[in-house]
Amino acid sequence: TRLYGVCDYYDAESLLTGDERRVLGRLRSFLDREARPVLADYWERGEFPTHLEQPLIDLDLMEPAEGGALRPRSTPARGIYQGFRIFELARTDASLATWYTAQAGLFRTAIRVGASAEQQEKWMPQVIDFSLKGVFSLTEPESGSDIAGGLSTTARREKTRDGDIWVLDGAKRWIGGAATADVLAVFARDVADGQVKGFLVDREADGVALEKIRGKTSLRMMQNAHITLSSVRVPESMRLHNVNSFRDVAAMLRAMRSDVAWIATGIQAGAFEAALSYVTGRHQFGRPLGSFQLIQEKLARMLGNVTASLSLVVRLTEQQAKGIYRDQDSALAKMQTCLLMRETVALARELVGGNGITLETDVARFHADAEAVYSYEGTHDINALIIGRALTGVSAFAP
Ligand code: FAD
């Protein structure tokens, strides 16, 4: 039996192995049984359902062992399988998918790309089993899209009797999951050479202050923090030794943007399924809503969007599995899936009528959450400019 039915129109799941599908099936059952019933309540309260974290971790989401049937833990999971795990989470809830990709995508990529071989040997097993939880702290209050040039958090190297340390000063904004993390991967500019360097900062270190960003109207379950760093001391051993300039950070962003394209695809699948089920059950004018031509046109457009997005991310992931990583490739996937997502969730909301603005149906949550996904990991404009630069050879980022 197929896991994804109509929302995987061209049967992309046939690219998965039987074992991979079985783990995804277990994830599906857990989400349906334990997560779905409580999501609206947590969303409304603006809290993350932390009781779901450990059971999700226990499902071996990062590197499934499966008694050796899947790849051993030491080698990364297949991209396509990783993509479907994100898809499955996002099709249930965008905050759950964001929580997962914060560790499995953002933080893990910071270690994979930024840490030296010795550091990776020490940290990676803990990253994979979530015993070292981390977040990616790049954006600043005054620098979002122009973070490459505008990054102003500083790092100053000092010699002490116990070895070299770095002193960090500045602020970071929007950092997802920071309040429950063990360490913050912080990117700061070395005052000596002006280059961006990376550091793992203990969340409880002296000088680290976290403030929850309140009043969010999107991704309300996901906790985002405003972080202030005041003379925070970090030992040289906790510097990410392979981050020597913003180029190295850009290499991380390239890998992470594809995860967001999978999230944008999963959100569409969730919204489409919820709307389809609604119009099948609700009657107006003595007939099911789904029997009207105008409703069917909207359903067809939504399915077209989901199918186009899934085809796009599957192909991108296949390219990446071959080692082809270009800025413009993941930028295109992020930009296009998010454009389609905005239309899909708006159509879903429309089909559910007045009930589409309450948390009673899942549609309102998908509709609201899509807005944050549209903006994070490079806005539409920034990803379009990355593609434009590749097409024309001219960077239009700054006048
Ligand atoms: P701005 O850069 O101020 O942009 C505002 C508007 O101007 C946008 O529409 C943008 O497209 C447009 N714009 C900017 N420059 C140009 C230009 N040259 N040409 C045309 N238009 C332009 N960051 C992290 O480091 N870690 C995280 O974990 C993290 N999680 C996040 C979670 C959420 C829910 C959100 C909302 C954000 C998160 N971010 C995180 C930050 C995110 O990456 C930034 O919000 C994003 O990069 C945009 O920056 P900004 O919000 O400062 O917008």
Side-chain angles (χ1 to χ4, degrees):
T1 54
R2 285 181 53 189
L3 268 175
Y4 294 106
V6 70
C7 71
D8 175 16
Y9 203 63
Y10 292 147
D11 196 16
E13 74 168 83
S14 62
L15 298 168
L16 297 165
T17 67
D19 288 316
E20 289 167 344
R21 281 156 48 120
R22 265 188 286 286
V23 180
L24 286 167
R26 284 209 291 277
L27 173 59
R28 157 82 53 89
S29 314
F30 174 78
L31 291 172
D32 285 348
R33 199 178 59 243
E34 307 290 338
R36 274 190 197 277
V38 302
L39 291 172
D41 189 38
Y42 277 91
W43 196 95
E44 193 163 21
R45 285 191 276 135
E47 287 172 20
F48 194 82
T50 45
H51 67 285
L52 299 177
E53 288 184 10
Q54 195 55 47
L56 280 170
I57 293 166
D58 292 342
L59 278 168
D60 250 343
L61 282 183
M62 192 76 101
E63 290 303 336
E66 275 289 289
L70 294 174
R71 284 164 177 242
R73 276 178 170 269
S74 52
T75 57
R78 294 192 325 130
I80 195 81
Y81 172 51
Q82 170 75 356
F84 267 104
R85 276 182 286 183
I86 297 170
F87 177 83
E88 180 65 46
L89 286 161
R91 131 180 204 287
T92 309
D93 184 80
S95 294
L96 289 181
T98 303
W99 164 80
Y100 174 63
T101 54
Q103 176 83 4
L106 295 169
F107 183 55
R108 188 183 190 186
T109 305
I111 302 298
R112 185 174 56 78
V113 177
S116 65
E118 303 85 72
Q119 290 176 320
Q120 285 195 37
E121 205 171 309
K122 187 164 140 212
W123 293 327
M124 200 51 107
Q126 296 167 268
V127 176
I128 287 172
D129 70 11
F130 283 71
S131 59
L132 181 69
K133 290 197 191 113
V135 290
F136 194 83
S137 315
L138 178 64
T139 305
E140 299 187 346
E142 300 306 326
S143 287
S145 302
D146 69 344
I147 191 70
L151 192 147
S152 66
T153 297
T154 55
R156 189 185 305 275
R157 190 171 187 150
E158 282 183 8
K159 295 211 173 300
T160 73
R161 254 182 290 151
D162 304 326
D164 286 8
I165 58 129
W166 294 80
V167 181
L168 269 49
D169 282 283
K172 296 287 171 182
R173 185 154 176 86
W174 284 118
I175 309 311
T180 49
D182 302 307
V183 288
L184 320 167
V186 171
F187 299 92
R189 202 174 291 281
D190 182 348
V191 291
D193 64 8
Q195 297 296 339
V196 172
K197 309 256 156 83
F199 304 87
L200 289 197
V201 177
D202 188 328
R203 179 177 55 89
E204 298 198 327
D206 286 345
V208 175
L210 264 64
E211 192 188 327
K212 175 179 167 174
I213 297 180
R214 296 189 181 276
K216 284 192 320 177
T217 57
S218 179
L219 279 189
R220 281 180 57 77
M221 268 169 44
M222 187 69 200
Q223 307 299 306
N224 293 88
H226 183 110
I227 302 173
T228 311
L229 303 156
S230 312
S231 302
V232 179
R233 294 160 74 84
V234 183
E236 161 65 9
S237 60
M238 296 298 274
R239 183 171 69 80
L240 294 169
H241 289 157
N242 286 351
V243 181
N244 296 308
S245 75
F246 194 82
R247 276 173 167 275
D248 300 318
V249 181
M252 297 174 190
L253 296 175
R254 208 176 298 151
M256 291 170 338
R257 276 197 182 122
S258 13
D259 288 350
V260 182
W262 277 98
I263 293 181
T265 306
I267 289 174
Q268 292 184 66
F272 168 68
E273 287 169 333
L276 178 61
S277 136
Y278 188 87
V279 298
T280 313
R282 183 169 169 87
H283 286 64
Q284 291 294 289
F285 302 96
R287 291 165 58 182
L289 283 176
S291 69
F292 295 108
Q293 290 181 347
L294 291 175
I295 301 276
Q296 290 187 3
E297 189 271 347
K298 290 185 180 68
L299 290 173
R301 259 164 72 194
M302 292 165 79
L303 179 60
N305 287 351
V306 179
T307 307
S309 297
L310 195 53
S311 307
L312 209 160
V313 289
V314 163
R315 188 64 196 138
L316 172 74
T317 304
E318 285 176 339
Q319 293 285 91
Q320 291 180 337
K322 284 192 243 155
I324 303 170
Y325 275 92
R326 298 184 306 176
D327 285 333
Q328 61 270 34
D329 295 347
S330 48
L332 183 77
K334 201 278 173 177
M335 181 195 79
Q336 195 62 24
T337 54
C338 283
L339 266 184
L340 296 174
M341 169 185 68
R342 253 189 165 179
E343 184 182 68
T344 306
V345 296
L347 288 169
R349 201 218 76 57
E350 199 176 325
L351 288 184
V352 179
N355 291 332
I357 63 156
T358 76
L359 294 166
E360 297 278 308
T361 66
D362 290 336
V363 168
R365 197 164 35 84
F366 285 121
H367 184 245
D369 286 351
E371 283 305 296
V373 177
Y374 187 74
S375 288
Y376 70 39
E377 212 71 68
T379 64
H380 170 82
D381 303 310
I382 294 308
N383 283 303
L385 295 183
I386 291 171
I387 300 159
R389 182 179 59 193
L391 289 173
T392 65
V394 183
S395 170
F397 283 97

